[in-house]
Amino acid sequence: MENQRPIAVDLFAGVGGMTLGFEQAGFDVLASVEIDPIHCATHEYNFPLGTAICASVVDISGDDIRSKSQIGDREVDVVFGGPPCQGFSLIGKRVFDDPRNQLVTHFMRLVIELRAKYFVMENVKGLTLGTHRQFVAEVIENFEKNGYKILKPYQVLNAAHFGVPQYRERLFLIGCRQDLNLPSYPVPITKPAKAKRISQELANLPDSPKVSDAIADLPDVSQYPELSDRDWCIAEYQKPQSFYSEYLRGLQSEPNNLSYPRQYNSQLLTSSIGTVHTPTSIARFQATAQGEVEKISRFLKLDPNGICNTLRAGTPSNRGAFTAPRPIHPDQPRCITVREAARLHSYPDWVRFHSTKWHGFRQIGNSVPPLLARAVANQVRDVLGVSLKKPKKVISLLNDDKLLQLKMTEAAEKYGVDPHEIR
């Protein structure tokens, strides 16, 4: 049936990068499971048509997901998500006995319990290296024993190959029920701007958007003193530098974007609370050349004509509350704002994040860039054979941003969960 949108479930949903990418590809993401109540509240704010379920995948069943959402007894077309797998991260210790890696098993269990037609599992590139490949092989073997086939060979995809101004490599494992046809992996459509080395297959592709394409039109936060104690203000934007920034600002429609239009105040600058740097740090940032790493902080100063390095999340409070390195703005002696990070991650300006910098950066760094998720989701939608048009229903985002300001204890109380059980 034309415009009958397929149904999706997001596991380990976070702030919703994959939710948005799949919505942009034409899916109705009716259930999003997330253990962290801060992320869950933000997800609920941005995606009010679905149900945000604040729970651990360890403690939830496929029937729970159906009953708590609008899915009911309908068929689930795709389950997707990125089970946290820090034990295999390239920047962490690599061990098979890290208990967090068991979450991959629960991802697989829920795919099977929901009898999803398709699944997409995203994870760190480290799972494809050395002895860790055995872990992936075991995941594939278990899926195949339970009635699913896997797209082989599995691939690592780089966000910069799909129109995102950021170098970010992630493993995507794609599978379907035995009675269905597998999709293909998406083919790159851009090459990283100002890349020093390019493979022959990428040589003729257009460049990805540059850092300046993403953030140059954003207001100068130093001109808005109200941003010293809150994350939003009414601001004057510059002329867009690119189609990319026009698209993220909602000034240009894009035919391949099948998400629900959002109604919001386009003069509102959000997720832009200021950062106070010492005079010494400011001097060091100023003295650092664009595209170089500042020697003391080890922060990269962004090159306006290049792309961003991989934005990282840092760690939650139950793992030390470490802040990840934040890039330095290419033209101003400060670290980038959460909104600038969101632009570099391909989030539209209507997407809001938690009002604190720490949670906001964690939400972005933990998420899949929506344009990368959309590229994968498009392949699943195409193999489903559905014919879709852009929906006419408009989502009005709340003026009440209390969901974005909750402290961890308040968010945990709202959802009735343990505030210490976060990833």
Side-chain angles (χ1 to χ4, degrees):
M1 183 187 300
E2 185 170 312
N3 234 37
Q4 183 67 42
R5 291 169 71 93
I7 292 172
V9 172
D10 189 354
L11 303 178
F12 312 96
V15 76
M18 288 191 80
T19 290
L20 181 54
F22 272 77
E23 183 190 316
Q24 290 176 340
F27 290 83
D28 276 348
V29 185
L30 296 185
S32 298
V33 181
E34 170 56 45
I35 190 175
D36 188 320
I38 290 284
H39 294 345
C40 206
T42 306
H43 199 289
E44 182 179 330
Y45 179 92
N46 288 309
F47 302 99
L49 293 187
T51 301
I53 302 171
C54 194
S56 169
V57 296
V58 174
D59 303 322
I60 201 167
S61 69
D63 286 342
D64 292 333
I65 291 171
R66 288 181 176 278
S67 64
K68 292 175 184 291
S69 70
Q70 300 172 47
I71 296 172
D73 60 0
R74 286 186 283 176
E75 195 161 36
V76 174
D77 292 287
V78 62
V79 171
F80 57 85
C85 222
Q86 291 96 331
F88 292 99
S89 173
L90 289 173
I91 60 172
K93 60 181 180 179
R94 303 175 184 175
V95 290
F96 280 107
D97 58 357
D98 190 314
R100 285 170 304 221
N101 297 333
Q102 297 173 9
L103 296 175
V104 175
T105 305
H106 289 285
F107 174 90
M108 183 166 52
R109 173 182 61 80
L110 288 170
V111 169
I112 294 165
E113 287 182 8
L114 287 166
R115 194 159 157 59
K117 292 180 181 178
Y118 291 85
F119 75 84
V120 176
M121 192 187 88
E122 174 266 347
N123 225 296
V124 293
K125 180 184 177 181
L127 279 178
T128 69
L129 302 177
T131 56
H132 312 311
R133 286 177 291 188
Q134 180 60 32
F135 184 83
V136 180
E138 290 176 13
V139 172
I140 291 172
E141 180 183 356
N142 280 317
F143 265 118
E144 290 175 339
K145 285 180 179 177
N146 285 279
Y148 283 82
K149 51 189 176 183
I150 310 297
L151 182 58
K152 299 175 186 175
Y154 52 79
Q155 288 189 19
V156 171
L157 302 179
N158 187 345
H161 295 162
F162 299 95
V164 181
Q166 181 187 160
Y167 188 92
R168 190 180 189 91
E169 291 186 308
R170 286 296 184 271
L171 164 67
F172 283 84
L173 200 64
I174 302 173
C176 70
R177 291 193 323 228
Q178 290 286 358
D179 57 318
L180 300 169
N181 295 321
L182 282 165
S184 303
Y185 279 100
V187 176
I189 58 172
T190 57
K191 63 179 184 291
K194 210 175 178 180
K196 294 178 181 176
R197 295 179 184 175
I198 287 293
S199 65
Q200 192 62 41
E201 62 186 1
L202 299 176
N204 295 324
L205 293 177
D207 283 349
S208 68
K210 307 184 297 291
V211 166
S212 61
D213 293 330
I215 67 174
D217 65 306
L218 287 170
D220 180 352
V221 294
S222 68
Q223 301 303 305
Y224 297 91
E226 57 265 51
L227 293 175
S228 63
D229 57 7
R230 70 183 193 202
D231 78 323
W232 64 271
C233 69
I234 299 296
E236 187 172 340
Y237 285 72
Q238 306 300 314
K239 183 178 179 181
Q241 297 287 306
S242 64
F243 178 85
Y244 181 81
S245 58
E246 289 183 330
Y247 158 68
L248 294 182
R249 281 172 63 177
L251 302 176
Q252 283 279 5
S253 62
E254 196 233 323
N256 294 323
N257 181 1
L258 300 175
S259 65
Y260 293 92
R262 263 56 169 198
Q263 186 175 25
Y264 71 105
N265 184 352
S266 61
Q267 290 184 300
L268 200 62
L269 174 66
T270 63
S271 302
S272 297
I273 192 168
T275 298
V276 178
H277 296 295
T278 65
T280 304
S281 294
I282 291 171
R284 291 203 316 264
F285 291 172
Q286 285 177 322
T288 304
Q290 293 171 339
E292 298 295 326
V293 173
E294 196 278 308
K295 294 180 181 178
I296 303 298
S297 66
R298 305 300 300 166
F299 295 171
L300 174 71
K301 186 168 183 176
L302 296 174
D303 180 346
N305 295 311
I307 63 173
C308 184
N309 55 328
T310 302
L311 294 172
R312 302 200 182 280
T315 62
S317 58
N318 64 339
R319 294 181 51 234
F322 293 113
T323 298
R326 296 168 186 169
I328 302 168
H329 192 281
D331 302 315
Q332 301 171 23
R334 60 172 177 82
C335 290
I336 62 171
T337 64
V338 172
R339 175 54 55 198
E340 288 160 345
R343 284 283 192 94
L344 294 165
H345 219 69
S346 75
Y347 278 105
D349 286 359
W350 61 258
V351 177
R352 299 282 297 268
F353 301 91
H354 193 270
S355 58
T356 65
K357 290 190 294 289
W358 188 74
H359 282 305
F361 275 105
R362 192 164 67 94
Q363 289 175 334
I364 292 170
N366 267 333
S367 67
V368 177
L371 285 183
L372 174 57
R374 189 211 295 191
V376 175
N378 283 341
Q379 301 298 111
V380 179
R381 181 203 63 216
D382 288 348
V383 79
L384 283 168
V386 292
S387 177
L388 299 172
K389 295 179 181 178
K390 189 169 181 67
K392 295 180 181 179
K393 181 183 180 68
V394 177
I395 298 176
S396 295
L397 291 177
L398 298 172
N399 291 321
D400 182 0
D401 58 2
K402 287 191 177 73
L403 285 171
L404 308 173
Q405 299 175 356
L406 297 173
K407 294 182 172 66
M408 180 60 75
T409 51
E410 295 170 333
E413 184 178 354
K414 168 181 166 58
Y415 294 109
V417 297
D418 183 348
H420 303 293
E421 191 185 357
I422 58 174
R423 62 179 174 88

